[in-house]
Amino acid sequence: MKSIEIKDLSLSFGDLKVLEQLNLDIFDGEFLVLLGASGCGKSTLLNCIAGLLDISEGQIFIKGNNVTWKEPKDRDIGMVFQSYALYPQMSVYGNLSFGLKNAGVPKAQIAERVARAAAILQIEPLLKRKPSELSGGQRQRVAIGRALVREVDVFLFDEPLSNLDAKLRAELRVEIKRLHQRLNNTMIYVTHDQIEALTLADRIAIMLGGSVQQLDTPHAIYNHPVNKYVAGFIGSPGMNFMKGALSGGDNPHFTIDGLNVDLSRYAFGEQGVQPTNSAWLGIRPEHVHVGKEADGLAFTHEVEVEVVEPMGADTLVWSQLANQEFRFRVGGQKTVTPGEKLIVGFDPISASVFDGHSELRL
Amino acid sequence: MSIEPIGRRPRRVFNPTRIMIYCVLGVAAIYYLLPLYIMVMTSLKGMPEIRLGNIFSPPVEVTFEPWVKAWDTACTGLYCEGLKVGFWNSVKILIPSVVISIAIASVNGYALSFWRFRGAEVFFTILIFGSFIPYQVMLYPLVIITRELGIFGSITGIIMIHTIFGMPILTLLFRNYFASLPQELFKAARVDGAGFWGIFLKIMVPMSPPIFVVAIILQVTGIWNDFLFGVIFAGTKNFPMTVQLNNIVNSTQGVKEYNVNMAATILTGAVPLAIYFLSGKYFVRGIAAGAVKG
C-alpha cells in the first residue's frame, strides 16, 4: 500500500524553480532516502511533504488523504531536524510532551507515551535535564523521541546526523535502522552522505536540480546507475570515466585512444548498441583487479603507478590508462610504490557505458 | 619536574601604548565629569555663596534646600508644586508606552521573521523608512489626527504617539533578533502543532529575555528624555518631567536660582542615568543591535 504519493509537485520562489513536476510514491513501511548534493531540492521536498513550505503546483497524499493544504500538525508526521531544534527553555520531558499538550492529549496518556519513547531511545535518565546539558548524540535522540511520541505513520528526517562527529554518526545510524526495523513505519530521510543512504535505505532517490534522477534500491543504484551523474555521485572514491568510441554489431567494442575493450559480456539496455564516436566507459576503482587476479579477464593492460593513497583497509592507486586518469583499489596489505608497473584488468559486466551527449546509460 | 619558559612572564603594564590610552581616557573622563562636578557642587550651595562666583570650589556650607525646593515647591509656569508632578506624569506616560510599544513591536518582529507573508519585505522597508523622516514633518498632521480622535492633550494621546514612534526601531530590533534564532525551531514547533501565538509565547518569548531588556532600556531612556512630543501632545496638566524642568530653568521671572536649576536637572536625568548604570552590558548591546543590518 502507498504511504505517501506525490503528484506533479512543483515549487518555485519567484522565477527560481526549485522542484519541477516531481512524482514520487513511497510504500508503507519503506525507508526512502533522498540523496543529492547541496541545493538539489531534497530538503525542500521534505519540507513540502511536512507542510512547512507551500507548494506551487501538484498534490501530496499521505495515507490516501490529500494533505496538500493541511497544516503540518494535521499530516500525521513527525520530523527530526539537523540542528535538533530542541526547545532550549524546556526540559527533555517538556520537549517530548509539547506536541501532545498542544494536541490536547490527557496528562496520564502523555506521561505514558513519553515513558515509552524514552525507553525505546534509552533517554529515561535525561528526562529532567535541559537540552543545553546534553551531548550532541543525546540531543538527537531527544529530537527523534519528539517525533516518536506523536505515534505517527511517517517519520521525516532532515539530515539528522550531519551535526555529529563521525563515530557518533555511525552509532546513531545503526540505531535509526534498528528503530525502523522495530517500528516498521514509513521513513523519509534526507542526506548528502552516500554511506548513510546506502546503509539505511530500502530505496534511494537521487536528486539533481529539483528532479529525481534515479529511484531504486541501493544495489541497483550502485551497480546500474541510469546516468553518468548518478554513477559519479555514488561510490567513493568515484567511478573512473574514460571517453572513447563505441562500435556496434554482435561483437561490440569500446575504443579508448587505440585501446580496445571487448563489451560482448556487457548487458546493454533495451535500445541495443548504437555505434557512436562519443561515449563514456565507467568502471569503479573497486571493480578493477590487479596482477594475477586480472588473469583471464576480458580487458587487461599494464599501467604505471603515479600516486598511492593508503586508507587502511585498502589502498587507492592513481595511474593513467590510455592517457586518461585511472584509479583502482588494491588490498591494504599490498605494498605499491610510485613508478611500479602493474597489470590491471576488469570484467565489462561490472562496467557502465554512457552516451557521450545524453550521458544516459546504454 | 615541569619544563619552564625562560624567566618570569614579562609584564607589560606601562608600555607606551598603555600610557597613551590611559592619558586619552583620563582627559575624556575629566572633560565629561567636570560639568557634572559643577552641577553637584552648585546644587549644594546657597544663593549667596553662588553669587561669589567660584564655581569650582566645593560648598562651604552644604545645604539640601535646593533639592527639596526643586522637587517640591519650584514654580513650573503657573503652578508651584515642584518637579514631582512632572515626575509622576512621566511615569504615567512611560510605563504604558513602554509596555504597549514593546508588546506590539515584538509581535511585529516575530511575524516578519517567521511568518513571511506576501509583501513582508515591502512592509518592513516602509516601516524602517519611517524612521528616517524627521519627526518635525509629522507633527502637524499628528496634531490633527489626535484632535480628530479626541485624544489630543491627554495621557492616551502621548502614549499613542510614543508607541507609534517606537515602532520602526523596535521592530527592527526584534526582527533581527528573531531572525538570528534557528528557523528549524520554528518548524519543529509547527510540526508539534503550536500556532502563531503558541510559538510566540511558549517558544520565542522565553528565548528572548536579552532583547526584551534591550528594548526596555531603549524605550525607557528614549521616552523619559523626550521633550518635543511631551510639550505638544501631553497637554498642560500632563507635562512630563523634561517639560517642567524646562519651565523651571527657563523661567524669566524673578532671580535665577542656579542651585535649584542644577538640582532639578540632576533629578530629571537620574532615571536614564540609573538605567545606564544598572544595565551597562545590555545597553551597549542595544546600541549595537539597532545599528546592524536592516
Side-chain angles (χ1 to χ4, degrees), chain B residues 8-60:
Chain B
R8 279 176 42 204
R9 178 193 292 272
R11 294 172 53 133
R12 296 192 184 88
V13 180
F14 287 112
N15 61 6
T17 326
R18 278 288 141 128
I19 293 170
M20 267 307 285
I21 288 172
Y22 285 126
C23 285
V24 171
L25 286 178
V27 169
I30 292 169
Y31 182 80
Y32 283 102
L33 281 177
L34 206 58
L36 182 67
Y37 168 81
I38 293 170
M39 282 175 77
V40 174
M41 288 308 133
T42 309
S43 74
L44 295 173
K45 289 174 186 173
M47 277 314 285
E49 211 178 308
I50 292 172
R51 286 199 196 93
L52 295 176
N54 307 320
I55 59 166
F56 289 104
S57 61
V60 180

Side-chain angles (χ1 to χ4, degrees), chain A residues 25-284:
Chain A
D25 289 346
I26 301 155
F27 300 102
D28 233 3
E30 186 174 28
F31 200 121
L32 181 92
V33 172
L34 301 175
L35 178 66
S38 311
C40 69
K42 57 191 191 302
S43 278
T44 310
L45 174 59
L46 197 74
N47 277 308
C48 288
I49 297 172
L52 294 167
L53 276 176
D54 282 344
I55 63 170
S56 310
E57 276 169 50
Q59 290 177 318
I60 300 170
F61 291 84
I62 296 178
K63 292 269 157 194
N65 300 319
N66 188 339
V67 296
T68 313
W69 298 118
K70 281 206 176 147
E71 276 294 299
K73 67 182 165 85
D74 301 323
R75 294 189 177 206
D76 274 340
I77 52 146
M79 192 158 176
V80 179
F81 298 90
Q82 179 179 351
S83 64
Y84 325 127
L86 298 178
Y87 313 125
Q89 72 281 4
M90 297 183 194
S91 66
V92 169
Y93 187 90
N95 268 282
L96 294 178
S97 58
F98 185 65
L100 300 178
K101 272 188 205 150
N102 286 328
V105 176
K107 257 201 166 146
Q109 207 182 329
I110 292 180
E112 189 190 315
R113 284 211 219 170
V114 170
R116 202 183 312 151
I120 291 174
L121 295 163
Q122 297 168 340
I123 51 172
E124 289 137 314
L126 311 176
L127 284 177
K128 289 210 172 79
R129 291 208 208 157
K130 289 274 170 70
S132 56
E133 299 161 346
L134 304 177
S135 70
Q138 290 170 331
R139 285 181 203 183
Q140 198 50 287
R141 259 176 244 248
V142 175
I144 294 171
R146 197 166 52 184
L148 210 58
V149 291
R150 293 172 57 79
E151 296 186 347
V152 287
D153 302 314
V154 179
F155 273 47
L156 307 175
F157 292 91
D158 194 355
E159 309 216 16
L161 307 181
S162 300
N163 278 8
L164 301 173
D165 62 59
K167 189 162 176 278
L168 214 50
R169 203 180 303 163
E171 280 172 25
L172 264 171
R173 198 171 67 207
V174 178
E175 247 173 80
I176 290 177
K177 190 151 194 170
R178 261 194 214 119
L179 192 69
H180 180 241
Q181 283 170 358
R182 177 170 176 171
L183 302 173
N184 211 22
N185 47 10
T186 312
M187 291 188 176
I188 306 179
Y189 188 106
V190 165
T191 183
H192 61 261
D193 182 322
Q194 48 172 303
I195 304 296
E196 275 173 31
L198 292 167
T199 51
L200 288 170
D202 292 326
R203 283 194 303 166
I204 299 176
I206 301 219
M207 293 184 66
L208 174 71
S211 62
V212 175
Q213 300 288 304
Q214 187 169 8
L215 172 63
D216 218 325
T217 61
H219 183 268
I221 285 192
Y222 178 78
N223 291 298
H224 300 283
V226 291
N227 59 32
K228 188 168 168 261
Y229 176 78
V230 174
F233 190 79
I234 284 282
S236 174
M239 190 182 263
N240 294 302
F241 292 110
M242 281 165 291
K243 211 168 174 63
L246 186 66
S247 64
D250 290 338
N251 196 11
H253 273 75
F254 193 88
T255 319
I256 320 160
D257 208 6
L259 215 62
N260 256 319
V261 183
D262 180 9
L263 288 182
S264 46
R265 270 168 63 75
Y266 179 81
F268 279 98
E270 285 163 10
Q271 74 274 40
V273 200
Q274 256 100 46
T276 165
N277 284 329
S278 167
W280 294 95
L281 178 73
I283 180 79
R284 296 195 181 279

Side-chain angles (χ1 to χ4, degrees), chain B residues 128-183:
Chain B
I128 295 306
F129 185 70
S131 61
F132 292 108
I133 299 171
Y135 290 166
Q136 289 78 352
V137 174
M138 293 182 253
L139 284 179
Y140 188 53
L142 276 171
V143 168
I144 296 171
I145 291 170
T146 46
R147 186 191 67 201
E148 293 305 311
L149 290 171
I151 54 174
F152 179 76
S154 69
I155 293 271
T156 318
I158 181 76
I159 289 171
M160 191 188 92
I161 297 294
H162 279 308
T163 305
I164 292 171
F165 280 95
M167 258 336 103
I169 183 70
L170 289 181
T171 303
L172 173 72
L173 198 69
F174 279 104
R175 195 199 78 128
N176 284 355
Y177 181 80
F178 287 128
S180 73
L181 296 180
Q183 274 283 336

Side-chain angles (χ1 to χ4, degrees), chain A residues 261-262 265-266 283 287-289 297-299 345-351:
Chain A
V261 183
D262 180 9
R265 270 168 63 75
Y266 179 81
I283 180 79
H287 292 153
V288 176
H289 299 275
L297 291 175
F299 173 80
F346 58 83
D347 187 348
I349 208 164
S350 57

Side-chain angles (χ1 to χ4, degrees), chain B residues 18-282:
Chain B
R18 278 288 141 128
I19 293 170
M20 267 307 285
I21 288 172
Y22 285 126
C23 285
V24 171
L25 286 178
V27 169
I30 292 169
Y31 182 80
Y32 283 102
L33 281 177
L34 206 58
L36 182 67
Y37 168 81
I38 293 170
M39 282 175 77
V40 174
M41 288 308 133
T42 309
S43 74
L44 295 173
K45 289 174 186 173
M47 277 314 285
E49 211 178 308
I50 292 172
R51 286 199 196 93
L52 295 176
N54 307 320
I55 59 166
F56 289 104
S57 61
V60 180
E61 200 182 329
V62 175
T63 168
F64 290 98
E65 196 60 31
W67 290 75
V68 177
K69 189 175 180 192
W71 178 255
D72 222 23
T73 57
C75 293
T76 58
L78 285 177
Y79 310 97
C80 289
E81 290 170 327
L83 268 179
K84 63 175 189 288
V85 185
F87 177 82
W88 291 114
N89 283 343
S90 274
V91 170
K92 272 187 258 174
I93 294 168
L94 179 76
I95 291 174
S97 305
V98 170
V99 171
I100 295 171
S101 61
I102 290 179
I104 297 176
S106 59
V107 176
N108 273 354
Y110 159 70
L112 282 170
S113 46
F114 288 112
W115 298 86
R116 290 299 184 86
F117 50 91
R118 191 176 285 274
E121 286 298 321
V122 177
F123 177 82
F124 185 64
T125 312
I126 292 171
L127 195 62
I128 295 306
F129 185 70
S131 61
F132 292 108
I133 299 171
Y135 290 166
Q136 289 78 352
V137 174
M138 293 182 253
L139 284 179
Y140 188 53
L142 276 171
V143 168
I144 296 171
I145 291 170
T146 46
R147 186 191 67 201
E148 293 305 311
L149 290 171
I151 54 174
F152 179 76
S154 69
I155 293 271
T156 318
I158 181 76
I159 289 171
M160 191 188 92
I161 297 294
H162 279 308
T163 305
I164 292 171
F165 280 95
M167 258 336 103
I169 183 70
L170 289 181
T171 303
L172 173 72
L173 198 69
F174 279 104
R175 195 199 78 128
N176 284 355
Y177 181 80
F178 287 128
S180 73
L181 296 180
Q183 274 283 336
E184 291 195 336
L185 210 58
F186 169 70
K187 290 180 179 175
R190 277 189 75 194
V191 172
D192 267 342
F196 182 90
W197 293 108
I199 296 174
F200 179 62
L201 296 173
K202 288 181 195 156
I203 309 291
M204 298 304 166
V205 172
M207 286 181 74
S208 320
I211 204 68
F212 275 95
V213 172
V214 167
I216 289 169
I217 294 164
L218 272 181
Q219 282 299 84
V220 169
T221 53
I223 294 173
W224 192 273
N225 288 338
D226 159 68
F227 175 84
L228 186 64
F229 295 143
V231 79
I232 297 171
F233 294 99
T236 331
K237 276 191 189 136
N238 306 318
F239 276 161
M241 205 168 181
T242 44
V243 177
Q244 301 217 329
L245 171 70
N246 174 68
N247 292 353
I248 292 174
V249 175
N250 288 343
S251 98
T252 47
Q253 292 198 345
V255 196
K256 278 253 184 220
E257 294 179 295
Y258 290 109
N259 49 1
V260 175
N261 291 354
M262 296 294 179
T265 309
I266 296 173
L267 280 173
T268 310
V271 170
L273 210 56
I275 294 275
Y276 293 148
F277 279 127
L278 293 175
S279 64
K281 169 181 89 179
Y282 284 112

